[in-house]
Amino acid sequence: MHRCLWLAKNGLGYVSPNPMVGCVIVSGGKIIGEGYHAKFGQAHAEVNAIQSVLTQYPDHAHELLKEATVYVSLEPCAHFGKTPPCADLLIRHEVKKVVIGNTDPFPGVNGKGIQKLSAAGIDVIQGIEEKECRHLNRRFFTRIEKHRPFIILKWAQTANGFFAPLEPVQKWISSAYSKKLVHKWRTEEDAVLVGKNTVLHDNPQLSAREWSGRNPLRIVLDRNLDIPLGHHIFDHQAKTIVFNELKTDVKDNVHYIQMEDMQHYLPQKIAFQLYLMDIQSVIIEGGANILNQFITAALWDEARVFTAAVNWKTGITAPNIHGIVEEVLSLNSDKLILYKNTTNT
């Protein structure tokens, strides 16, 4: 199962809104095939693992599979979606046993895959490394169970707790190494979100240009559409969503979505709108006001906070977060603290 999880991680950033899944097939005490879900709309992990067996053992794949144990990190699907049901595939190849990490909470599956396999006479074992499998797909489970995306808060602060300068200018806090790590994170999540003032002051690209991978969807909060069209968020590097109170419209890769009364319950409105758009995860990168709104609403899952060694005399105070500290890392001159929220909604 650990090998399944290792394989599944290869799909991070590419399979959403599907879960990451890895599959390993063992026969005669030997791994004879493995695979993972590589991209949304393409073959699932079980399909790729079976195909690897057929490719490597063209003359006796059927005999090997009939004696095989299939390990898969998530319950094989039982419904027709972008691809046929994986449970049917395993039944067709008459595998002997299937070992599952998590059951799939998606209503079209949720135990139905296990029922199909068991009804076909296949021995099914479930709940193996269940905690680790769930953690891997925490984005997927959050979207299905809570009807909202997995929400990550990210910011940098000075050693004495300042988030940004008082004057409307860009002033870097964290190191170049930390910046590169943030770009890596952007390739792993569906979207990155910032407020209007962050765009006006910093003119960010919100891309993953310093890491290999795809750019996230850019989401900007601009109630009265004050951001000039010459800013980077309106370029063609990635699709941009602008939540505002004035219009719903599409111009090239910029999608304007009108919201009512953005002064009240904004985090909840954003979370539900992103859920309707099948956005499975979002990194909120600023400014301090929008970060504090999500913290106050307890509407976050992870927080990633860089603290630099520098001190400022004045500035905007950084958000104050309360959560379980999962990890503390030293990154050159910066300290990175990873928090988990155990009281989220």
Side-chain angles (χ1 to χ4, degrees):
M1 191 58 70
H2 289 163
R3 177 64 177 171
C4 289
L5 292 170
W6 188 89
L7 290 166
K9 290 177 184 177
N10 290 304
L12 182 60
Y14 296 98
V15 302
S16 178
N18 282 351
M20 293 174 279
V21 184
C23 180
V24 175
I25 303 176
V26 175
S27 187
K30 175 185 175 183
I31 293 178
I32 61 170
E34 57 185 27
Y36 63 92
H37 184 30
K39 190 174 182 180
F40 177 71
Q42 295 184 3
H44 288 186
E46 299 93 323
V47 176
N48 289 327
I50 290 287
Q51 186 57 51
S52 72
V53 176
L54 298 175
T55 300
Q56 293 182 75
Y57 307 96
D59 297 328
H60 50 286
H62 181 65
E63 290 78 12
L64 288 171
L65 287 169
K66 285 184 70 173
E67 296 300 319
T69 297
V70 177
Y71 296 83
V72 61
S73 55
L74 190 71
E75 176 185 4
C77 59
H79 67 297
F80 282 89
K82 294 282 184 180
T83 60
C86 291
D88 291 357
L89 175 70
L90 299 178
I91 291 168
R92 187 165 69 250
H93 285 282
E94 303 178 273
V95 302
K96 189 174 183 179
K97 181 188 295 186
V98 177
V99 179
I100 297 168
N102 290 134
T103 54
D104 189 334
F106 181 71
V109 187
N110 199 14
K112 297 182 180 68
I114 293 172
Q115 291 172 10
K116 271 193 172 186
L117 295 170
S118 297
I122 296 172
D123 185 17
V124 178
I125 299 174
Q126 56 181 302
I128 304 302
E129 300 292 356
E130 186 172 12
K131 182 178 178 181
E132 289 80 0
C133 291
R134 185 179 177 90
H135 179 74
L136 175 72
N137 277 316
R138 57 197 184 278
R139 300 164 181 84
F140 174 74
F141 277 84
T142 297
R143 185 178 68 88
I144 297 297
E145 295 175 349
K146 298 184 177 181
H147 295 175
R148 65 166 177 81
F150 188 84
I151 298 170
I152 301 166
L153 309 181
K154 189 279 298 181
W155 71 87
Q157 61 188 29
T158 65
N160 57 340
F162 290 121
F163 174 87
L166 293 174
E167 62 275 12
V169 296
Q170 185 182 49
K171 191 174 181 181
W172 285 103
I173 296 177
S174 56
S175 68
Y177 183 88
S178 297
K179 179 182 178 182
K180 184 170 289 189
L181 178 59
V182 170
H183 285 216
K184 176 181 181 293
W185 290 343
R186 289 176 180 172
T187 69
E188 298 171 349
E189 312 305 335
D190 288 355
V192 55
L193 183 149
V194 296
K196 176 189 73 176
N197 287 336
T198 297
V199 176
L200 290 176
H201 298 166
D202 297 345
N203 193 17
Q205 297 179 55
L206 301 181
S207 66
R209 59 196 177 278
E210 295 196 18
W211 196 267
S212 177
R214 57 109 183 99
N215 288 323
L217 173 71
R218 301 177 293 196
I219 302 172
V220 179
L221 310 179
D222 188 6
R223 184 181 170 197
N224 296 312
L225 298 180
D226 295 321
I227 301 172
L229 294 178
H231 277 56
H232 291 316
I233 56 135
F234 296 119
D235 63 26
H236 292 277
Q237 288 191 64
K239 179 179 174 181
T240 298
I241 301 290
V242 182
F243 289 133
N244 68 95
E245 288 188 351
L246 302 180
K247 67 178 182 179
T248 295
D249 194 11
V250 177
K251 292 185 178 179
D252 297 324
N253 66 319
V254 181
H255 293 234
Y256 297 90
I257 297 180
Q258 186 176 12
M259 280 186 173
E260 292 185 0
D261 194 12
M262 292 177 67
Q263 290 182 304
H264 299 96
Y265 301 105
L266 183 58
Q268 292 86 346
K269 291 174 181 177
I270 291 169
F272 185 61
Q273 182 62 50
L274 296 185
Y275 168 74
L276 294 178
M277 297 166 63
D278 266 348
I279 293 173
Q280 189 159 264
S281 62
V282 59
I283 302 179
I284 300 175
E285 297 196 8
N289 178 46
I290 190 63
L291 286 164
N292 278 319
Q293 286 191 55
F294 274 85
I295 292 170
T296 299
L299 201 52
W300 62 279
D301 298 285
E302 291 180 3
R304 303 170 182 179
V305 182
F306 294 97
T307 300
V310 64
N311 286 286
W312 291 355
K313 292 183 179 180
T314 61
I316 296 171
T317 302
N320 184 22
I321 196 152
H322 298 283
I324 294 175
V325 176
E326 288 203 300
E327 197 170 3
V328 179
L329 301 170
S330 294
L331 303 174
N332 292 338
S333 58
D334 298 336
K335 179 174 71 173
L336 172 61
I337 302 180
L338 306 177
Y339 296 90
K340 179 181 178 181
N341 186 9
T342 58
T343 62
N344 54 25
T345 56

